[in-house]
Coordinates of all heavy atoms in Angstrom, one line a residue:
S66 N 0.3 35.6 -31.5 CA 1.3 36.6 -31.0 C 0.7 37.4 -29.9 O 0.8 38.6 -29.9 CB 1.8 37.5 -32.2 OG 0.7 38.2 -32.7
S114 N -29.9 35.2 0.8 CA -29.5 36.6 0.4 C -29.1 36.7 -1.1 O -29.3 37.8 -1.6 CB -28.2 37.0 1.2 OG -27.2 36.1 1.0
R150 N -7.3 23.5 0.5 CA -8.1 23.5 1.7 C -9.5 23.0 1.2 O -10.1 23.5 0.2 CB -8.3 24.9 2.3 CG -9.1 25.0 3.6 CD -9.2 26.4 3.9 NE -9.8 26.6 5.3 CZ -10.2 27.7 5.8 NH1 -10.1 28.8 5.0 NH2 -10.7 27.8 7.0
I178 N -13.6 25.2 -27.7 CA -13.6 25.3 -26.2 C -14.2 24.0 -25.7 O -15.2 23.5 -26.1 CB -14.5 26.5 -25.7 CG1 -13.9 27.8 -26.2 CG2 -14.7 26.4 -24.2 CD1 -14.8 29.0 -25.8
F185 N -17.3 23.2 -28.1 CA -18.1 24.3 -28.5 C -17.2 25.2 -29.3 O -16.0 25.5 -29.0 CB -18.5 25.1 -27.3 CG -19.6 24.4 -26.5 CD1 -19.3 23.4 -25.6 CD2 -20.9 24.8 -26.6 CE1 -20.2 22.7 -24.9 CE2 -21.9 24.1 -25.8 CZ -21.5 23.1 -25.0
V367 N -21.5 9.5 3.6 CA -20.2 9.6 3.0 C -19.7 8.2 2.6 O -19.1 8.0 1.5 CB -19.2 10.3 3.9 CG1 -17.8 10.3 3.4 CG2 -19.7 11.8 4.1
T473 N -5.6 -8.2 -13.6 CA -6.5 -7.8 -14.7 C -7.3 -9.0 -15.2 O -6.9 -10.2 -15.1 CB -5.7 -7.3 -15.9 OG1 -4.8 -8.4 -16.3 CG2 -4.8 -6.1 -15.5
K622 N 4.1 -7.7 -34.6 CA 4.7 -8.8 -35.4 C 5.3 -9.8 -34.5 O 6.1 -9.5 -33.5 CB 5.7 -8.2 -36.3 CG 6.4 -9.3 -37.2 CD 7.4 -8.6 -38.2 CE 8.1 -9.6 -39.1 NZ 7.1 -10.3 -40.0
Y653 N -14.4 -15.2 -31.2 CA -13.2 -15.4 -30.5 C -12.3 -16.3 -31.3 O -12.7 -17.4 -31.8 CB -13.4 -16.0 -29.1 CG -14.2 -15.1 -28.2 CD1 -15.2 -15.6 -27.4 CD2 -14.0 -13.7 -28.2 CE1 -15.9 -14.8 -26.6 CE2 -14.7 -12.9 -27.3 CZ -15.7 -13.4 -26.5 OH -16.4 -12.6 -25.7
E667 N -14.3 5.7 -33.9 CA -15.7 5.8 -33.4 C -15.9 7.3 -33.2 O -15.2 8.0 -32.4 CB -15.8 5.1 -32.1 CG -17.2 5.2 -31.4 CD -17.3 4.4 -30.2 OE1 -17.2 3.1 -30.3 OE2 -17.4 4.9 -29.0
G731 N -33.1 7.9 -22.9 CA -33.5 7.9 -21.5 C -34.7 9.0 -21.3 O -35.4 9.2 -22.3

Side-chain angles (χ1 to χ4, degrees):
S66 60
S114 60
R150 186 186 189 191
I178 295 174
F185 291 78
V367 170
T473 59
K622 181 178 179 63
Y653 299 137
E667 179 176 296

